[in-house]
Amino acid sequence: PGLTSTETVSSAASLQLEIPSPHPVIATSKVTFSLPQAGSVRIEVWNSLGRRVAVLHDATLPAGGHAIDWDASSFPNGIYLLRLAHNSGTMSRRCVVLR
């Protein structure tokens, strides 16, 4: 499936995922997100063909705000989907990699 939505939320309204900064992503970008409770967190990057191309984080984190760096310097130009999966729900954001 292609990219059809800029934001998808299920289960938890307080789960938050921000668009990477700076945007569009040129090389390295910061991905910020907030968790309503402690739990397992997986952040993946999917390309416009619906293929997972990277896993940015896969570990347990405490509740609250977090930020991780995304080195997109090896990614070709295009539209990508960042997907945050947490035991309280999932959220996705569309972003652009542009050089």
Side-chain angles (χ1 to χ4, degrees):
L3 303 180
T4 58
S5 173
T6 58
E7 182 176 354
T8 304
V9 181
S10 64
S11 300
S14 58
L15 183 67
Q16 296 178 8
L17 174 63
E18 302 299 323
I19 294 172
S21 177
H23 192 258
V25 177
I26 296 170
T28 301
S29 188
K30 190 163 294 294
V31 177
T32 58
F33 57 98
S34 180
L35 307 174
Q37 62 195 37
S40 178
V41 175
R42 185 171 175 100
I43 300 177
E44 302 171 329
V45 180
W46 294 74
N47 68 16
S48 59
L49 299 175
R51 294 187 183 117
R52 185 178 63 215
V53 294
V55 176
L56 303 181
H57 187 85
D58 190 10
T60 300
L61 290 174
H66 302 277
I68 60 170
D69 290 326
W70 174 23
D71 181 3
S73 60
S74 64
F75 286 67
N77 289 346
I79 298 172
Y80 293 86
L81 190 71
L82 286 175
R83 182 178 181 272
L84 166 65
H86 181 258
N87 50 323
S88 69
T90 61
M91 182 173 229
S92 299
R93 289 280 187 189
R94 191 173 6 187
C95 63
V96 175
V97 172
L98 184 63
R99 292 203 204 349

